[in-house]
Amino acid sequence: MIVDERFLTYLRSLEGQEIDYIAAIEKEALETYVPIIRKDTQTFMKFLMQTLRPEQILEVGTAVGFSALLMEAYDPADCQITTIENYPPRIARANFARAKKEACIHLIEGDAQEVLPTLTGSYDFIFMDAAKGQYPIFLPEIKRLMHSGSVLVTDNVLQDGDLIESHYAIERRNRTIHKRMREYLYSLTHDEDLVCSILPVGDGLAVCTMK
């Protein structure tokens, strides 16, 4: 936990009622232990959608489709979302149909490392929430798909606070992800084409814009 749990509990108590289908999908995901973006991350994403009003959105990592549906619901623009998922996304497809959003959310099934080079054009907003160890590999293609003013948001970058720990204090099975996430954040914050801020929201968000 990055931020004190009591503080988060208070902030969450201020939130209003969620859209019915989004609340239902969130409840089902939590009951079946499917990871989705955390409550405070949800609130921040809603703010970004309302503020930026992106028309073309790319998501890397669909899971059950919760984040894509949240972005679509709170984006005032007539947006189109392209979302990539490597594992059979049957639940996501069912959730998009259930919300009647198949026309504006296009799901591509495949490995993002293979799919990203096939995409053309550019995106106003890109949300990365996929295999954390692959972020440094994805970054060159992600930058290719951005234009001046595009925003890139990457989730789970602080790894519940583990990122500040020594490499040797991390469980051996997590050391590769730990190393690659540090490399990714260094690349973001030292890239002359990007302006970035690392925020202790949810499990950590890297928010960058293309100059």
Side-chain angles (χ1 to χ4, degrees):
M1 184 60 61
I2 300 170
V3 180
D4 186 274
E5 182 64 33
R6 292 178 301 166
F7 186 60
L8 290 177
T9 300
Y10 168 68
L11 293 180
R12 290 167 185 165
S13 73
L14 302 176
E15 297 174 4
Q17 187 171 354
E18 187 53 90
I19 298 169
D20 287 347
Y21 65 83
I22 291 179
I25 293 169
E26 178 182 30
K27 181 174 182 291
E28 291 162 9
L30 294 175
E31 288 174 349
T32 54
Y33 303 101
V34 176
I36 59 173
I37 58 174
R38 301 184 187 188
K39 278 289 188 184
D40 39 341
T41 303
Q42 294 175 34
T43 302
F44 188 66
M45 292 289 282
K46 293 175 188 179
F47 167 79
L48 289 177
M49 292 299 105
Q50 290 285 329
T51 304
L52 301 173
R53 300 171 180 251
E55 295 182 1
Q56 293 294 328
I57 298 174
L58 173 64
E59 177 184 52
V60 184
T62 314
V64 296
F66 179 81
S67 300
L69 287 168
L70 185 84
M71 289 189 287
E72 192 282 332
Y74 287 92
D75 186 349
D78 184 18
C79 67
Q80 289 291 318
I81 299 176
T82 300
T83 181
I84 305 168
E85 179 56 55
N86 193 29
Y87 295 100
R90 293 184 297 272
I91 297 176
R93 291 190 190 280
N95 284 335
F96 296 153
R98 165 188 188 178
K100 298 181 174 57
K101 301 298 181 181
E102 306 106 303
C104 55
I105 302 178
H106 174 51
L107 194 157
I108 301 175
E109 185 174 346
D111 187 328
Q113 190 173 349
E114 298 174 358
V115 173
L116 287 171
T118 70
L119 300 180
T120 58
S122 62
Y123 294 88
D124 308 312
F125 188 91
I126 300 175
F127 182 52
M128 288 247 285
D129 189 15
K132 309 304 178 278
Q134 300 301 306
Y135 286 175
I137 298 172
F138 296 160
L139 186 56
E141 289 296 333
I142 291 293
K143 283 188 62 183
R144 180 182 65 82
L145 296 168
M146 297 174 73
H147 56 74
S148 177
S150 291
V151 171
L152 166 63
V153 174
T154 309
D155 196 17
N156 304 119
V157 298
L158 297 182
Q159 302 178 321
D160 279 323
D162 282 351
L163 203 69
I164 65 171
E165 300 295 338
S166 162
H167 173 80
Y168 300 102
I170 302 299
E171 290 185 34
R172 186 175 297 274
R173 62 190 176 90
N174 293 328
R175 288 180 182 175
T176 297
I177 293 177
H178 179 269
K179 177 176 180 290
R180 289 183 179 176
M181 186 59 77
R182 283 192 167 195
E183 291 173 355
Y184 177 70
L185 292 184
Y186 185 89
S187 295
L188 289 180
T189 54
H190 289 75
D191 191 312
E192 294 184 354
D193 297 325
L194 301 173
V195 176
C196 298
S197 179
I198 313 301
L199 306 175
V201 174
D203 191 22
L205 291 176
V207 182
C208 303
T209 188
M210 179 72 78
K211 293 181 181 177

